[in-house]
Amino acid sequence: MAAITAPVSARKHYLNIDYSWRSWLLTVDHKRIAILYLLSITLFFFVGGFFATLLRLELVTPQGDVVQAETYNKLFTMHGVTMIFFFLIPSIPAVLGNFLLPLMIGARDLAFPRLNLLSWYLFMLGALSAVAAMAAGGVDTGWTFYPPYSTRSSNSQVVLTGLGAFIAGFSSILTGLNFIVTIHTMRAPGLTWFRLPLFVWAHYATSLIMLLGTPVIAITIALAGIERLLRIGIFDPALGGDPVLFQHLFWFYSHPAVYIMILPGMGVISEIIPCFARRRIFGYRFIAFSSFAIAIIGFLAWGHHLFVSGQSVYASMTFSAITYLVAIPSAIKTFNWTATLYKGSIAYRTPLWYALWFIGLFVIGGLTGLFVAALPVDVHVHDTYFVVAHFHYIMVGGQVMAYLAALHFWWPKFSGRMYPEGLAKFAAFTIFIGFNLTFFPQFILGYLGMPRRYYTYAPEFQVLNVLSTAGASILAFGFILPMVYFVWSLRYGRKADPNPWEATGLEWQTSSPPTTHNFEQTPVVTHGPYAYSPQEPHDYLPQGVARV
């Protein structure tokens, strides 16, 4: 194999071709729409983080010193709603997927560019509805909106918040539809299914969940809103409804939604590991098919959220077994990433550190998920901080680490600039330390019996809560650092080569940043991805270059 020099950067690219507001707000360029999503979800990430900061400040002492119970209920609800619906779900698909999918398959854009722009406007409309609810006093139901409290008793902004999640759901559906059609119809010549990067496979599986699952949560929230406004008995037992029905419908989407958040992150890790290990990915087809296995089995495991709801014990045993089953494809991925690293020529750059954090923290989150999938253990730790810690090890330790890995890996392609590597590594280690100090004590708190969603607690839990709050302070500092040096790099960062990591994907075979139409000529693919050589780290074969 021979090292390939990529084309020299074009003078005009997607960022500088037009600076007007109109050119951004009416753009149909998938890369600019990705930037719009990036700016939007970054804002909501820090809004959600602000609510989390207030929660942790309240929990420094056992008494209610900072806020009262009603305010605390609103804080954890708005933290959950903001982070899940307006950051975690859209983060990698809407930002990285939008920017990279057409580049990775050698296309000029997504199949439906105008639909793509509509998706962003729907997302913003939903987000503004949620923000309006927060400004009008907030919502206190928890992000799960369980009835009958949400449909009868709560005096907070339930309808406006639910409307925001409902509208944002349509954005998710349209994005998933766009990705599926694009992958089916717009691949470059020679780019067969088993030559696709695993990032694309992960997004295809994610899009199926978005397309099939999101309508269920949308209609569930709509029904809850109808019951609240019109007093029609659907979920409220006082009106003849069934509150457990809401839980079934809610988790039928919301459990697979965990995989909407984590599967794209797995796709990111599958790109970064072989690049910095300089090895072909181990078990390409196993990783590709495991994405589909996770998507399909994930649709069948929702009932493990209802172990204490009164559902049949036989149903609970079945859902418990299915939940264990979904661990298998996740384990396949983890094994294959680790096997790829084995005997690799490893370069410890910032994206790889985040990828390693992802693997370790996701494994902890996944294994503790098996604990709560066991009926007796789940009854013991249900609604305790054990569940909070488990969830955050998957969502923050997994998905957010993958998101940060992706931002660092593809930042040169996004911006045409390099970030300061030393500061980026410092931030990666700060985030890792802060994260574990924040959430690991919560496993112990939950095991000892501290319930979640309480603003006061027994004095014997204070030391662990102080540790958790100290960790949250470090974590917040760590999260601010990348935002600062990414912005700094836009002006002062070293100009990036088209392929600074010597990676093999098609996205690295065009200029950094790319032109509006991505490629000067449509690439022709003659071989699969990940053609690296661990013996000669600078020897690799990009997908758009024919073998000699």
Side-chain angles (χ1 to χ4, degrees), residues 254-275:
S254 295
H255 186 74
V258 171
Y259 303 113
I260 290 178
M261 299 178 237
I262 203 69
L263 266 175
M266 292 172 163
V268 168
I269 304 306
S270 298
E271 298 302 314
I272 290 175
I273 293 285
C275 177

Side-chain angles (χ1 to χ4, degrees), residues 142-153:
W143 75 275
T144 50
F145 301 108
Y146 273 11
Y149 183 69
S150 63
T151 59
R152 188 205 318 164
S153 307

